[in-house]
Amino acid sequence: MNVGIVKNQAKILHSACPHDCPSTCALDVEITEDGKIGRLRGSADNSYTAGVICAKVARYSERMYHPDRLLKPLIRKGEKGGGDWHEVHFDDALDLIAEKFIQTEQRHGAESIWPYYYAGTMGIVQINSIRRLTYAKRYSSMHGTVCITPAWTGFAMGTGAVRGVDPREMAKSDCIVIWGTNPVSTQINVWTHAAKARKTRGTKIVVIDIYDNPTMKQADHKVILKPGTDGALACAIMHILFRDGLADWDYLNKFSDDPKGLEAHLRDKTPQWASDITGLPVDEIEALAQLMGHTKRTYLRLGYGFARQQNGAVNMHAALSIATVLGAWQHEGGGAFHNNAEITSLDASYVTGTKMLDEDARVMDQSKIGRVLTGDADALLGGPQVHAMLIQNTNPANIAPEQRRVREGFMREDLFTAVHEQFMTDTAKLADVVLPATMFLEHDDIYKGGGHQHVILGPKAVDGPTNELGGPRENLYVIDGLAKRLGFGDREDFNMTARQHLDRILADSGYGEYEAFAAKKWVDEQPDFETSHFLNGFAHEDGKFHFKPNWKETETINLPPKRLGRMGDIDLLPEFPDYLASPEIVDDKHPFRFATSPARAFLNSTFAETPSSIKQEGGRPEILIHPDDAGDLNIAEGDLVTIGNDRGEVSVHTRFFDGVRRGVLIQEGLWPNSSFAKGEGINTLTSADSIAPFGGVAFHDNKVWLRAG
């Protein structure tokens, strides 16, 4: 039971934000007298959340009680995408899905069914149950590549693990470098701890990004570089550190693999060399290196943004290497951090069904869904075409690259698609069956924060809406309901409530009884200082930080399943940190670089349906363009323009913005496809080509043309 306190006639319960954000905020949830969700606030007694959450989650009741929320199961009546639906009972919808899956398996084999999911909820039970069904039935599995892969790979190639310095230590830093993330908009807690350091210690905050975003506007030093050139900046900074005697040789000789080789490699990576690539003035590069070099407590907070390039893993590794050249890991408030994925002892193997995993089963790249559904033999790994899908926690018709191919695939009449969703998303519109889903306060779950160190319980706070057709149901209900219809009715793991799964997870993880954990609300899993700072050695077998990553190695956290193998052009990856040019370099036909950066009021495609978020983002998608670029093209502010490349074109209105470099275009947020003038979303322009070495999507790495109208 989620026991709360009564305050001003409202009960306050505890939970955690479930959405695809590293902050995973600890929440205090207000329950009104009529049993509904009121205001959500950050838990003040959680040392990372520290009482602060983003505005969109604070207004979560607006989303839960939205008039357009899906409440009844739907079966398509007319043509695909036509919007003609028939309401049915939840049991009847599950019967139909199971019938279609059985028919598909009989005709085309089990691998022709592809359960597809991602991180619309980060709850361990609700996100992972679909994997248990996949493994039990030997359906095709999915390698998740739309978010973390290049960033985690680049970090792990250096340190040997995806973990780092306690993010709360930013409050004890003297220089914080926020690189490739916009926390004021997307991870407000990062900014909370950075601002605390500036207030109490006079800490200098550096923000490195490709445009003057809300975080940069509050920085002491703003660094706006050309997209995809982060590796060049990192190399020039390290060149200066070696050149000026600011590298910590005692530390390097003890803790790194080849510091002399790195120094020699960087001798020609001069500030002028980097200036020509990044567009930054030489004196700006020099000043940044001097600030970091003379500040022992320098903390590099490395985000996902600059890893969403074709050279993303290389860029992450290069930026991370600066902390080692500085020897910053030795100092409290110094070092680097990206994500704490590997610190928790949370054991979810039972809910995931790991023991049933067949290592030889087909595992397809999530990002290549457009190619998979249109029959690309390479994307299908030589296996059968996909003829049935169950989709949970993601919206590929909006967020996946190569949107035209994605839509073409979903429109196939020989493809059966069931979507379990909260709103009629772009993907749900193309489905054959749509099932209404609960929201996180309507079911039990447990969460771990990649951006911090807590495992947080998220108990059910309120009952979901009900109706004569069954009402919304949690992911677990759908998976177990299908499993029973597919022949697993006698299996214990398909006959457990979410609470029972939590009991098992807590026991397997050594966390004790549920009630005791619920009383604590969370556990702090941050390793001790020496482990967090790698002072007992880095996580590679030799205990060293690797300036020379073996990009072809077979033992790393991000290695895809063996049926996929290494991905992208491995042979291009450099021996030492370096600048690796993206294939999306501008040319005469495509004179602009284009990035799709996160919006403050959306979270990927979530919250794009709530009125307050739409209003905050200006009511429509807009492309940020430098006024001088617009002037050269005789384009006025607010004009409808078309941007395009070989993958398609998108019509969008302009907004003048001198905080972006000339030749660079920015569009913030994943707006629904229908929000664009011609109904095609922004990921029409994005390539599904894999980022080396283990996959990922270069969402921020597109060359495009632009024309009026």
Side-chain angles (χ1 to χ4, degrees), residues 507-708:
D508 289 349
S509 305
Y511 289 144
E513 298 284 334
Y514 178 92
E515 294 297 342
F517 193 98
K520 293 185 294 187
K521 300 185 291 189
W522 53 71
V523 294
D524 186 338
E525 289 270 32
Q526 184 68 42
D528 59 47
F529 181 86
E530 288 74 18
T531 303
S532 299
H533 287 252
F534 298 102
L535 298 183
N536 298 320
F538 285 89
H540 290 294
E541 188 174 330
D542 60 5
K544 306 288 188 180
F545 182 92
H546 285 190
F547 290 126
K548 295 175 67 175
N550 181 0
W551 296 108
K552 297 182 180 181
E553 70 181 341
T554 58
E555 293 182 2
T556 177
I557 188 172
N558 281 307
L559 181 69
K562 60 184 179 181
R563 285 288 300 276
L564 271 175
R566 292 181 293 275
M567 305 165 72
D569 195 339
I570 309 295
D571 293 334
L572 291 178
L573 301 178
E575 181 181 25
F576 283 103
D578 209 332
Y579 168 64
L580 175 66
S582 165
E584 292 280 331
I585 293 296
V586 297
D587 52 37
D588 290 342
K589 184 179 178 182
H590 307 90
F592 289 96
R593 289 294 296 274
F594 174 57
T596 55
S597 300
R600 188 166 191 167
F602 298 162
L603 202 168
N604 301 320
S605 66
T606 305
F607 295 98
E609 69 285 323
T610 54
S612 61
S613 291
I614 294 170
K615 181 179 179 180
Q616 184 174 344
E617 294 302 325
R620 67 183 184 187
E622 294 178 325
I623 192 166
L624 305 181
I625 183 172
H626 195 283
D628 293 341
D629 283 335
D632 289 346
L633 296 170
N634 293 318
I635 291 170
E637 186 163 26
D639 277 359
L640 184 67
V641 299
T642 301
I643 56 175
N645 54 28
D646 293 341
R647 294 177 283 272
E649 55 274 339
V650 175
S651 294
V652 61
H653 293 86
T654 60
R655 177 155 58 93
F656 289 0
F657 184 61
D658 61 8
V660 66
R661 287 189 172 275
R662 294 205 61 181
V664 176
L665 305 172
I666 305 288
Q667 197 256 298
E668 293 182 317
L670 276 174
W671 291 80
N673 298 341
S674 58
S675 298
F676 292 85
K678 295 182 180 179
E680 290 194 276
I682 208 65
N683 280 315
T684 299
L685 308 174
T686 305
S687 171
D689 289 348
S690 297
I691 298 174
F694 300 136
V697 186
F699 285 109
H700 300 176
D701 194 358
N702 302 285
K703 62 180 181 182
V704 298
W705 47 259
L706 183 150
R707 63 170 180 249

Side-chain angles (χ1 to χ4, degrees), residues 328-479:
W329 299 101
Q330 303 168 91
H331 308 287
E332 188 177 31
F337 180 79
H338 169 65
N339 191 287
N340 257 339
E342 289 191 78
I343 69 168
T344 70
S345 56
L346 200 65
D347 185 348
S349 59
Y350 188 76
V351 70
T352 304
T354 304
K355 289 184 178 180
M356 295 181 289
L357 173 61
D358 179 356
E359 294 287 352
D360 292 321
R362 181 168 69 167
V363 182
M364 293 183 292
D365 183 352
Q366 167 193 32
S367 300
K368 291 183 168 57
I369 182 174
R371 300 182 189 185
V372 166
L373 296 184
T374 53
D376 182 279
D378 289 338
L380 288 165
L381 304 180
Q385 176 60 286
V386 171
H387 287 281
M389 298 184 73
L390 169 66
I391 299 174
Q392 289 184 324
N393 313 330
T394 189
N395 181 15
N398 179 255
I399 67 98
E402 298 180 355
Q403 282 288 296
R404 286 186 172 176
R405 298 186 74 166
V406 176
R407 180 177 175 82
E408 178 186 348
F410 276 125
M411 291 295 288
R412 285 172 36 215
E413 284 298 333
D414 64 337
L415 173 69
F416 173 81
T417 306
V419 174
H420 188 204
E421 254 298 352
Q422 297 163 343
F423 289 89
M424 187 59 75
T425 63
D426 289 310
T427 306
K429 290 176 182 177
L430 302 178
D432 298 286
V433 176
V434 178
L435 303 174
T438 51
M439 296 195 184
F440 77 104
L441 293 169
E442 298 165 347
H443 56 241
D444 293 312
D445 220 323
I446 193 167
Y447 306 84
K448 61 179 182 178
H452 53 83
Q453 55 283 319
H454 292 100
V455 175
I456 309 175
L457 195 65
K460 178 179 177 180
V462 295
D463 290 327
T466 60
N467 54 60
E468 72 282 3
L469 299 179
R473 292 290 186 264
E474 63 187 325
N475 289 2
L476 180 65
Y477 181 94
V478 171
I479 298 304

Side-chain angles (χ1 to χ4, degrees), residues 206-213 216-217 221-227 229-230 233 275 277-281 284-285 288 626 657-662 664 666:
V206 179
V207 177
I208 304 173
D209 215 312
I210 61 173
Y211 72 115
D212 193 3
N213 59 44
M216 193 170 282
K217 293 181 186 303
H221 301 274
K222 58 175 67 176
V223 181
I224 304 177
L225 74 172
K226 293 179 180 178
T229 63
D230 309 79
L233 175 60
S275 176
I277 296 169
T278 64
L280 298 171
E284 190 172 339
I285 298 172
L288 178 57
H626 195 283
F657 184 61
D658 61 8
V660 66
R661 287 189 172 275
R662 294 205 61 181
V664 176
I666 305 288

Side-chain angles (χ1 to χ4, degrees), residues 143 148-156 162 555-561 693-695:
H143 175 43
I148 62 177
T149 316
W152 285 22
T153 299
F155 199 95
V162 182
E555 293 182 2
T556 177
I557 188 172
N558 281 307
L559 181 69
F694 300 136

